[in-house]
Amino acid sequence: MCTFETVSVVSPLRPSSSPDASTSTDQNNDNIPPPQDAAKLPDASILCHLVDVHCHPTDAPELLTFAAMEGLQMTVCAMSTHGDDQDRVRGLAEKYPDKVVPCFGHHPWWSHLISTTDDTEPDKETHYRRLFLPNTVSDSSQTNSKPTPPNHEAAFTSLLPHLPPPRPLSSILTELRTNLNLFPTAMLGEVGLDRIFRVPIQYHVAPGEKRELTPFTISLDHQLKVLKAQLLVAVELGRNFNVHSVKAQQATVDLLAEVRKEVGEEKWMRKKHNNVFLSLSTVINHNHGSMRDLIATCSQDRILAESDFYDISRCTAQTWDMVQIIAEVKGWRVESSWDYTTDGDGTDNTNAVKEGEESWGVVKKLERNWFRFRDGNHPIPEKKKNRRERQLRDHDVD
């Protein structure tokens, strides 16, 4: 898994019921580099082969206009993050099935809105006290020896009216399974872990205003329960997934290992990770000096591009910026028109370099990678034989 604020996406091994995974962090809109001018974008023959593997268009529904979607000429993977946008993503995919790959799930920033108890109608105040003021709840499993700071009770009193009644995890999973089953190519996303996120009084504020933050973070134990339950649904249905991981890399790796142990090697990543793909965005990665080194070291058939952006009218430009950076680092040509006699149809999932493939441009290569990731069904690598097994094999040959 990737820890460098990237998205590493994993697509299924054979059999096709295997899961996919990815790790990422949410976009920070501060210091986002300006995208290329629309006049500098390639023509439609190129854009229709472009795929933005991670974006958040339903985060800004006011920008998700008919004109913006009609003008979209590439494919986008639209992420869900909380209870209010699952239906938005589903509706967007139903309306634009040729342009939108839907992704369903609950992000760690909203995981406190989910109750992991067996109670089908959890009491609102008790639920949030267990999470944020565990020492004030006698039956809390998260009670610790540290006294509750005086200002925390006041902050809780201010926060509680803005919080909705918690939803049982069982309800979340039922909805998730239903949504994934509605779309054969739907993925789990964006889910994950975040150790440093602080719960705001209000998520939505007027433009230009800052969100008032509380002193409360969401316990890692709670996040792990919510994340693991969602991952198991994705594994059950053989779907890709996208995992946000901030200051929780080891916890993420440990959880994935735990899930792998439960579901078995046949449904998970193998040691060689031949079903792992890496995706980058200028929104997340542009400030990291090692971004180009990461691109350079990534296998040419495992790299993808994304915008990780909320404004659908800017997703194409943001993705194209990343495509050009990949081309520059990899030394791949950038197509000026679609100059291929045949198009890939996504049915070929081998790693073999075919005749003429060396001359492919960056868009063709990334499209091939997308097909491989989307379709999964990668062959499971054979385990290396130990010395004794090799000796027995050589003896049999003799």
Side-chain angles (χ1 to χ4, degrees):
M1 303 303 294
C2 222
T3 59
F4 174 59
E5 292 193 335
T6 62
V7 177
S8 52
V9 281
V10 184
S11 64
L13 299 164
R14 294 192 181 111
S16 59
S17 59
S18 310
D20 294 4
S22 66
T23 62
S24 76
T25 58
D26 273 13
Q27 68 184 38
N28 178 352
N29 292 334
D30 297 332
N31 302 316
I32 293 175
Q36 295 283 343
D37 186 89
K40 297 181 180 179
L41 291 174
D43 63 35
S45 70
I46 298 295
L47 291 179
C48 68
H49 295 274
L50 199 62
V51 182
D52 178 355
V53 302
H54 181 111
C55 62
H56 296 269
T58 59
D59 281 5
E62 70 280 4
L63 302 177
L64 204 55
T65 63
F66 174 80
M69 286 304 300
E70 287 298 312
L72 183 68
Q73 295 177 297
M74 66 173 181
T75 299
V76 298
C77 299
M79 300 288 145
S80 304
T81 52
H82 52 82
D84 292 339
D85 67 355
Q86 310 295 315
D87 287 344
R88 294 176 193 165
V89 169
R90 183 175 65 191
L92 190 65
E94 289 173 341
K95 193 171 184 179
Y96 299 98
D98 296 331
K99 297 182 178 184
V100 177
V101 177
C103 306
F104 302 102
H106 289 253
H107 193 282
W109 290 2
W110 286 270
S111 61
H112 60 295
L113 307 181
I114 301 172
S115 171
T116 60
T117 67
D118 295 331
D119 193 346
T120 57
E121 295 184 4
D123 178 73
K124 175 180 174 178
E125 182 170 351
T126 301
H127 166 77
Y128 291 116
R129 279 190 175 276
R130 284 195 183 108
L131 288 178
F132 303 137
L133 300 173
N135 285 341
T136 68
V137 182
S138 59
D139 65 342
S140 175
S141 61
Q142 301 178 44
T143 302
N144 56 60
S145 58
K146 295 182 180 180
T148 301
N151 64 317
H152 282 207
E153 185 66 49
F156 182 81
T157 300
S158 298
L159 173 64
L160 189 61
H162 297 282
L163 295 172
R167 283 183 63 187
L169 180 57
S170 58
S171 171
I172 297 293
L173 299 180
T174 297
E175 178 186 54
L176 174 62
R177 185 176 283 104
T178 297
N179 283 332
L180 291 177
N181 279 324
L182 285 174
F183 303 91
T185 61
M187 299 187 285
L188 173 67
E190 180 177 7
V191 297
L193 302 173
D194 195 320
R195 283 184 179 271
I196 64 174
F197 173 72
R198 288 166 56 193
V199 178
I201 294 292
Q202 290 182 306
Y203 279 95
H204 306 292
V205 296
E209 294 185 6
K210 290 187 176 181
R211 290 186 298 182
E212 180 183 354
L213 300 181
T214 70
F216 305 125
T217 58
I218 305 167
S219 75
L220 188 62
D221 285 345
H222 180 79
Q223 293 185 50
L224 284 166
K225 290 178 182 178
V226 173
L227 174 57
K228 182 179 179 180
Q230 294 180 93
L231 293 182
L232 288 174
V233 172
V235 172
E236 173 192 335
L237 300 179
R239 301 306 178 89
N240 307 349
F241 52 84
N242 185 294
V243 181
H244 169 109
S245 182
V246 175
K247 300 296 183 182
Q249 287 84 353
Q250 189 59 53
T252 301
V253 170
D254 290 345
L255 176 61
L256 295 178
E258 180 182 332
V259 174
R260 177 176 59 191
K261 185 176 180 180
E262 286 190 21
V263 303
E265 291 286 345
E266 295 298 313
K267 290 189 174 183
W268 201 253
M269 294 178 291
R270 286 290 185 166
K271 186 175 181 180
K272 291 185 178 180
H273 301 300
N274 71 326
N275 57 340
V276 176
F277 292 71
L278 172 70
S279 180
L280 299 166
S281 72
T282 54
V283 167
I284 293 296
N285 304 108
H286 74 283
N287 282 330
H288 293 276
S290 56
M291 179 183 75
R292 290 174 179 269
D293 291 337
L294 187 60
I295 294 172
T297 57
C298 181
S299 173
Q300 69 170 6
D301 59 0
R302 307 287 185 85
I303 195 163
L304 299 166
E306 65 177 65
S307 71
D308 202 359
F309 212 65
Y310 61 92
D311 185 347
I312 195 65
S313 66
R314 291 180 60 185
C315 285
T316 301
Q318 294 287 353
T319 304
W320 185 245
D321 277 355
M322 195 67 246
V323 168
Q324 292 184 99
I325 293 172
I326 292 172
E328 179 185 342
V329 174
K330 289 292 192 183
W332 297 342
R333 70 181 179 92
V334 179
E335 297 95 334
S336 58
S337 63
W338 197 251
D339 50 5
Y340 306 100
T341 56
T342 58
D343 292 342
D345 60 3
T347 58
D348 176 27
N349 292 310
T350 69
N351 292 323
V353 177
K354 297 179 178 56
E355 183 179 356
E357 199 168 304
E358 296 87 348
S359 65
W360 284 5
V362 61
V363 177
K364 178 71 169 178
K365 288 177 183 289
L366 293 179
E367 182 188 43
R368 184 272 311 273
N369 292 351
W370 161 250
F371 286 148
R372 292 185 62 247
F373 162 67
R374 181 197 65 186
D375 296 342
N377 202 31
H378 307 295
I380 299 174
E382 294 183 3
K383 292 183 178 180
K384 289 185 178 180
K385 296 182 181 296
N386 59 34
R387 183 177 180 181
R388 177 61 178 164
E389 289 173 326
R390 290 196 300 270
Q391 289 175 338
L392 290 173
R393 179 200 61 190
D394 294 341
H395 177 74
D396 291 340
V397 171
D398 294 340

